[in-house]
Amino acid sequence: MRLDFQEASNRLALMRAMALSVGEALIRGSQGICLLFFGSSSVIIACENSQFFKIIFSIPNIRGFMTALIFTLQAIALALVMRQNEGWAKALFWLSFSLTVAWTMFHATDSLQIAL
Amino acid sequence: MRLIRFRLPCRKFMTHRLTYNLNALALFCLAIPLVGALGIQLTGDLPCPLCLLERVAMFSVAIGLVLNLRYGLKPSHYAMSMLGALMGLVISGRHVLLHVSGPPGSGYGGAFLGLHLYTWALIVFFCFLIGASVLLLGSAQFETENDSSPRVGWNTSLWARLTSYLIFALCAINAGMAFMECGPLECPENPTGYWIFGH
């Protein structure tokens, strides 16, 4: 039987590429699962033990002040949009958005603790 | 065999001009409940912490729309608005669920056309999400080079500019009012007066 080196090397390259892509998919998949697991675990732990949020939000008792702060950040973001400073406007939007989500989560966990 | 390309009719119908004006209209529609809520607050019905968060979510929606009006229509601006609306939907949904199990008339604050303001907020956020999704179906708005309709933008649309300035003024007033109500302290669940006036 005559061995075709070209064909053999092509097949080998193909097999190698397939193995690499399967390996890469496995690594990426496991990374994703790990991230998802640890991410969701930390959120659950944070929610279950709302002391985490209590410590953050009770430092200078910023809970009430935060609403005014978020409105102020949004007003500055709107002013920056109109003054053609898109980058800073978007940064302030995401900052205010994150603060609102944190505030809402705190509110929810606070009530959850009362309910439990 | 060459396949015949099928395009949705709304793709061509949603021109840049139409969607720009719809964005301005959505911003104006968003300003109506914000003005109404501020009017109710000035009559003495103070907002609770969740009511304030619903307003925050409305301004998040508004920022995306103002970005669309100022810098042109972009999917990322729609995404910002839709995230704001989703956040508002969660907050107002939670607010409705807090009061839904009580006896009739036990909800927070007064009612408008039989519904409390947080229920209206839920409806507004839901309608916005549907509307923004429909607007995003028309991809012709993003293809400006093939669009033969007359150009419309920030400098040519007085309507868009006035509505944006109104939203900015409302946001600044809300910042001041929120500080007057809560100050640096925790906002009471059922506020009866302004912190700045010693209540």
Side-chain angles (χ1 to χ4, degrees), chain A residues 61 63-64 74 81 84-85 111, chain B residues 56 60 70-71 94 184-185:
Chain A
N61 207 348
R63 281 177 71 184
Q74 287 182 324
V81 171
Q84 281 198 305
N85 201 332
S111 309
Chain B
V56 164
S60 295
R70 187 74 182 92
Y71 298 104
R94 179 178 148 65
L185 307 170

Side-chain angles (χ1 to χ4, degrees), chain A residues 61 63-65 67-68 70-72 74-75 78-79 81-82 84-86 90 93-94 97 100 103-104 107 111, chain B residues 49 52-53 56 59-60 66 70-71 77 80 83 87 91 94 154 165 167-168 171 174-175 183-186:
Chain A
N61 207 348
R63 281 177 71 184
F65 180 66
T67 316
I70 294 167
F71 276 129
T72 311
Q74 287 182 324
L78 278 166
V81 171
M82 288 182 267
Q84 281 198 305
N85 201 332
E86 194 180 359
K90 282 186 178 173
F93 169 84
W94 289 118
F97 186 84
T100 315
W103 210 108
T104 313
H107 215 277
S111 309
Chain B
L52 287 171
L53 276 176
V56 164
F59 284 115
S60 295
V66 175
R70 187 74 182 92
Y71 298 104
H77 299 159
M80 287 165 79
L83 275 173
M87 182 171 71
I91 295 166
R94 179 178 148 65
W154 180 258
Y165 288 131
I167 287 286
F168 168 70
C171 193
N174 267 292
L185 307 170
E186 187 177 330

Side-chain angles (χ1 to χ4, degrees), chain A residues 11-61:
Chain A
R11 281 188 187 177
L12 204 64
L14 189 70
M15 281 168 71
R16 187 171 167 270
M18 278 173 69
L20 276 174
S21 58
V22 169
E24 196 183 345
L26 280 172
I27 289 165
R28 288 200 176 186
S30 57
Q31 272 179 346
I33 289 164
C34 286
L35 270 175
L36 201 69
F37 177 74
F38 287 116
S40 55
S41 310
S42 37
V43 169
I44 289 163
I45 290 163
C47 290
E48 278 184 351
N49 184 8
S50 64
Q51 288 298 324
F52 172 76
F53 287 109
K54 279 197 171 163
I55 291 163
I56 292 174
F57 286 94
S58 64
I59 299 168
N61 207 348

